[in-house]
Every structure is written in structure tokens, then in C-alpha cells.
Amino acid sequence: MKLLTLLKDLPSHTLTGSPQVKISHLECDSRRILPGSCYIALKGTRADGHEFIPEAIRRGACAVVAEMPCTQEAREAGVSWVEVNDSRLAVSLMGAAWNGRPSRHMTMIGVTGTNGKTTTAYIAHSLLKQSWLRAGLIGTIAYDNGEEITPSTHTTPGPLELEHLLKEMYENGCRGVSMEVSSHALDQERVAGINFNVGIFTNLTQDHLDYHHTMENYFQAKAKLFEQMAQDTRSRRKPVAVINIDDAYGRRLAEMFSGRMTVKTYGSALGADFRMLVHHATAKGSEYELEYKGKSYLVRVPLIGKFNMYNSLAALAAVICAGIPVRDAIANLQNIPQVPGRLELFTHPGGAQIFIDYAHTPDALENVCKTLKELCSRRLITVFGCGGDRDKTKRPVMGEIAASLSDLVILTSDNPRTEDPEAILDQVAAGFPRGFADYHREPDRRAAIALALSLGRAGDVILLAGKGHETYQEIGKNRLPLDEREEIASFFQKSKV
């Protein structure tokens, strides 16, 4: 492909050299450069790709994209040079062009927010597949390219990987794609080359402040999805924002984009386009009344908890906005699969119920504990910790939540990373109410899980919070195996011996 073709969607840029040069590969890693490659220099948190431009040229790069003027070395080597204001934006737009701009040929649903992204994306994916036979999924747990499901590497992959994945989905016959869109991906322009048809906003609560620093920055990063959609003039249909107006940030977002694009709201608030009325939850599922366009529908979903009702409502609204008939979407909701690590239920030989959940933010932990507390006839035993090298301000907040909503807390490690596990536990325990004594402290997560299982009795609910679908634990700079499902099975197998 000629360089000129790759530059068509780029905003203002300066080209030095021939636009007709043929490009064999697009690369952001100088170590992977082959003769004929175009090297795109990115500024990272740990390294600056501009420092490796000479290496890329020595390896055979015939074109360079960078946030600096053309160098003498590049001129002498006959390298075409593209100077841009933002190379992250450039790599996303060029990656889309390189892969034939696949998102323009499919119905794209993007899900952003603090909590509920994974479950909402999973539900929307299932509803798309049931109606259209093949649909793609990109998210925290897995990627589905229409033919094969593989474990994911990132919630939202890097732009070159992402666009290649979308190309695979299109070539495999996917009519639509449901994908999680993280705040990091939005801030880093990873999805700038995607034409979203429907964007979902679930909620915004404290998380990732180690990266964004303030809630306002965090909110503005999320809002970039809808800003991108509002400015999109190339989609086959007008983009639609599906926004939770029971959330204060959601109401603000709806006001920001009302008049600039189609906004459909959901929630229980009066005036919501997709309104949830009477609702009821059991240990096996939930049901609620949906009011939409003056009609009422009974919605049943095999997931528990009010927050999962919100997730299903968001997914319902999104696929309906994408063109799936209302009654088909509602009927198909009853057939959605269990989402791995999201209130995933396991049975205890002693009669207790065990749930594994990814809850790792204050809001998520509170929602899950409240939901499970209603199912208890005896005690809620909560096993949780907080990740190292991440937002420290939420640690005592989560400690207070766990202590106030649980009958017994087992404080343990999550992913301590390079922090001292005991120091993290100190900060979490600082949030416990004065005199709170109904807890154990066990930094070894395996031992903490075994302790919880040994204490479980009929009527108890045991919550293993924080790891969810993850099958590893990050200790120091190492990623060590730890699958809580295997820990549960192993504990009960040993108990039989």
C-alpha cells in the first residue's frame, strides 16, 4: 500500500519525501521493523519511540511518522517522513486505513464506564450473535473474531492489533461487534480509527486515579468516545449514545451531547427512554418491567443483582438502537451465558454459596455485597484486597464498605505488584470502623480462600472479590498462576481425603 493512501484520514501533517513509497508493514516497535516498513514513533510512559528512529531506519524503514521534523539521517537515507501533532492519533487512523477501515462495514457497539463494561459487552455480544449468527467481541476477558474465541491481552488492544482484529471479524462474516472501551484507550487514542454506531455509558465511580489523577480528567476521557461519535461523518447510520441517567455523570453526559447526536437514555428515572420499573431478583436470576415507547415488556435475565439489571438494560437498549427488534432482543436475553468471573456461582458441600466476582472498585464492591447480603440466610463472608501500584485512595473506602456490609471479612492480597502486601492491608484496614473485629488478616490469597471455605456453613454466602476471571496474581514483577476456581475445587478435593 502506498504511503499516500495511509495518510488520507490524517489531520494536518507535513510530508517530506515521496508519498508514493510502497509500505510493506506498519510498526510501532523498532525491533520488529523489516525492509519496507513504516515506523510510527510513539511517546510512552517508560520510553520514547522517537529515540529509536535511527534503529528503525537502519533496519530498513522506508517511512517514519513522528512528532518532530525530518532528520538529516532520514533525508540522506531517502526515507519519507511524516510530521504529525499526535502520533498516537496517527497510528490509529493509519492502522484503520491499512486494514481497509473494517469498522465502517460492521455495526460497532462501544461500552465505556467504570463498572459493568464487561458484562454489558458480553450481553450485547450474545444478543447480536443470536440475531445475526456471527458477531465480534473485544473485552477484558476474551476476543471473539466470529470463528474463534481467545483470551484477551488488554481490555482494549493497541490500535494496530485492534484494527487487525476487526478486519478478521469482518472477513469472518461478523455483522456487528460489541467491545469494551477503556478510559486509557480513549485517552491514548487507541480507538480513534473506529466508527462507532452505538456508544454505551454505564456509570462513573472512583477508579484509575493513579492514571487520570482527578475524577474530572477521568470523566473527560470517557466523554471522548461520544465526542468522537458526534464528529463522525462517515458512519452508515447516525451514531446513537445510550446513557445511564440514574448516574450523575451520565446525566451530565446526556446534556453535553443532546442536540449534537441522537441520545437515548436508560435507567429507572422518570423520562428515561428505556425505563426499568418494577424489578425482582432471586439467586438464579432477575426480572423487571421495561417501559419503552409507551409499551411495557417483562424482561427476564439469568443474572442476579440490580446492577446486572442495569447492565442488561444497557445492552438491550444498544442492540435495539442497532436495529434488532425489541421483542427478539428481550426473548434472547433469557439465553445469555454466564459471564466468567462476574458473580460466578459455585456450590459448597456444606450448603454455602460461593461467588467469584471482579469487583475491585468501591462502587462495585458495594453493589455486589448488597446483592449477596439479600441472598444470605446466615452470613456474608467477604474475601478481598486492593491492587498494588494503583489508586491508593480507594483502599480505606473499600475497607469501610466491606466491613459495613459483611458479617465476616477476610482481608488478603489482590495483585500487590511491587508494593508490600502488608502495607496495602494496613491501608485497607484503616477504613474499618473503630472497634471492628469481625475479620481475619491473611496476605496469602490461597490461604485466605481456604480459610473462607473452611468457615462456610449452610446459609452462608462466600464472596471472593477482586480477581474475577483472572487466573494469575501479580507479585513483584512476576505474574504467578492463581485460578480461584481451581483453588475451590482443590480445597474440597482435599477435604474428601
Side-chain angles (χ1 to χ4, degrees):
M1 184 178 291
K2 291 182 178 180
L3 178 61
L4 180 65
T5 304
L6 293 173
L7 302 181
K8 281 186 178 180
D9 292 338
L10 259 62
S12 59
H13 58 276
T14 302
L15 173 63
T16 302
S18 172
Q20 302 296 331
V21 62
K22 287 188 177 181
I23 306 300
S24 61
H25 302 85
L26 285 183
E27 283 294 349
C28 300
D29 187 336
S30 61
R31 296 167 296 184
R32 295 203 295 261
I33 292 292
L34 298 172
S37 295
C38 175
Y39 174 62
I40 306 170
L42 302 179
K43 292 180 179 178
T45 55
R46 298 179 181 175
D48 185 347
H50 291 76
E51 297 175 3
F52 304 105
I53 290 175
E55 178 187 353
I57 293 174
R58 287 195 297 271
R59 287 176 176 269
C62 63
V64 169
V65 178
E67 297 176 10
M68 57 184 284
C70 183
T71 64
Q72 185 62 33
E73 180 184 5
R75 292 178 189 273
E76 293 174 354
V79 170
S80 294
W81 188 286
V82 184
E83 182 182 353
V84 297
N85 293 326
D86 186 343
S87 54
R88 289 190 177 278
L89 175 61
V91 70
S92 293
L93 298 177
M94 293 174 72
W98 178 262
N99 287 283
R101 301 177 179 87
S103 67
R104 295 185 189 176
H105 307 292
M106 299 180 288
T107 296
M108 299 295 303
I109 297 176
V111 187
T112 199
T114 303
N115 300 314
K117 291 191 302 296
T118 298
T119 301
T120 300
Y122 249 79
I123 297 172
H125 174 246
S126 176
L127 296 179
L128 292 177
K129 284 187 72 171
Q130 289 182 70
S131 290
W132 294 346
L133 300 181
R134 288 195 178 192
L137 173 68
I138 300 173
T140 302
I141 300 174
Y143 305 148
D144 181 352
N145 69 3
E147 288 189 351
E148 181 182 21
I149 298 176
T150 56
S152 63
T153 55
H154 296 84
T155 297
T156 311
L160 297 181
E161 180 187 357
L162 177 57
E163 292 292 347
H164 178 72
L165 188 55
L166 291 175
K167 180 183 179 182
E168 283 186 349
M169 293 174 180
Y170 177 60
E171 291 176 344
N172 290 341
C174 293
R175 289 179 56 186
V177 177
S178 176
M179 66 175 288
E180 295 181 55
V181 185
S182 69
S183 59
H184 291 66
L186 288 161
D187 187 63
Q188 297 167 10
E189 302 287 5
R190 281 185 242 158
V191 297
I194 297 178
N195 297 92
F196 288 101
N197 303 103
V198 181
I200 300 174
F201 177 82
T202 60
N203 51 63
L204 196 75
T205 62
Q206 183 177 341
D207 199 15
H208 302 307
L209 295 190
D210 55 301
Y211 179 90
H212 296 290
H213 304 300
T214 68
M215 287 298 292
E216 181 60 23
N217 290 344
Y218 187 26
F219 171 74
Q220 292 298 336
K222 295 293 188 184
K224 286 186 72 170
L225 172 63
F226 303 94
E227 185 63 42
Q228 179 175 320
M229 292 171 64
Q231 295 181 16
D232 183 8
T233 59
R234 297 179 180 272
S235 291
R236 293 173 296 166
R237 61 174 70 93
K238 291 183 178 180
V240 181
V242 174
I243 297 174
N244 175 12
I245 58 168
D246 287 354
D247 180 89
Y249 285 101
R251 291 192 294 274
R252 179 180 168 189
L253 200 64
E255 291 174 3
M256 284 173 59
F257 290 96
S258 179
R260 296 188 59 199
M261 62 188 296
T262 301
V263 174
K264 295 293 183 182
T265 58
Y266 73 94
S268 58
L270 186 66
D273 295 302
F274 294 83
R275 190 180 181 202
M276 179 170 60
L277 299 175
V278 180
H279 53 80
H280 176 68
T282 69
K284 294 184 178 180
S286 310
E287 65 179 38
Y288 55 90
E289 181 184 347
L290 168 63
E291 187 179 81
Y292 174 60
K293 287 189 174 180
K295 294 184 179 180
S296 293
Y297 305 87
L298 178 62
V299 178
R300 291 190 175 94
V301 57
L303 302 175
I304 67 170
K306 189 175 180 180
F307 60 94
N308 272 327
M309 296 184 207
Y310 275 91
N311 295 335
S312 68
L313 182 58
L316 260 183
V319 300
I320 291 168
C321 290
I324 293 177
V326 179
R327 293 189 183 279
D328 290 352
I330 291 174
N332 290 337
L333 254 185
Q334 299 179 64
N335 305 318
I336 63 171
Q338 165 73 53
V339 183
R342 272 45 177 192
L343 280 183
E344 192 172 356
L345 174 63
F346 297 83
T347 56
H348 187 299
Q353 292 178 303
I354 308 163
F355 289 90
I356 293 177
D357 194 82
Y358 191 52
H360 63 284
T361 68
D363 185 64
L365 185 63
E366 181 176 5
N367 284 333
V368 170
C369 285
K370 283 182 176 179
T371 295
L372 297 182
K373 188 68 174 173
E374 294 177 0
L375 303 179
C376 288
S377 59
R378 193 166 179 264
R379 297 180 301 170
L380 172 60
I381 302 173
T382 299
V383 180
F384 90 105
C386 290
D389 301 334
R390 298 294 186 269
D391 180 11
K392 296 181 180 182
T393 64
K394 69 181 183 182
R395 294 173 185 173
V397 179
M398 293 179 68
E400 181 180 11
I401 289 169
S404 63
L405 295 174
S406 309
D407 298 289
L408 177 64
V409 172
I410 300 178
L411 195 55
T412 189
S413 297
D414 190 292
N415 290 320
R417 301 185 177 92
T418 63
E419 286 194 64
D420 176 9
E422 293 287 1
I424 296 175
L425 299 193
D426 286 341
Q427 293 167 23
V428 177
F432 289 163
R434 185 181 298 273
F436 179 70
D438 295 323
Y439 78 98
H440 296 278
R441 179 169 168 147
E442 175 50 76
D444 183 322
R445 194 170 181 99
R446 281 190 172 86
I449 292 170
L451 175 60
L453 298 178
S454 70
L455 296 173
R457 301 291 183 269
D460 287 341
V461 171
I462 300 170
L463 169 63
L464 309 182
K467 298 296 293 174
H469 63 283
E470 294 177 351
T471 57
Y472 58 83
Q473 190 174 29
E474 295 177 5
I475 300 176
K477 295 186 177 180
N478 299 313
R479 180 172 284 193
L480 306 175
L482 177 62
D483 187 329
E484 296 188 336
R485 296 152 197 77
E486 293 180 359
E487 293 303 312
I488 293 170
S490 175
F491 177 84
F492 292 126
Q493 185 63 38
K494 291 177 181 177
S495 299
K496 292 178 182 179
V497 178

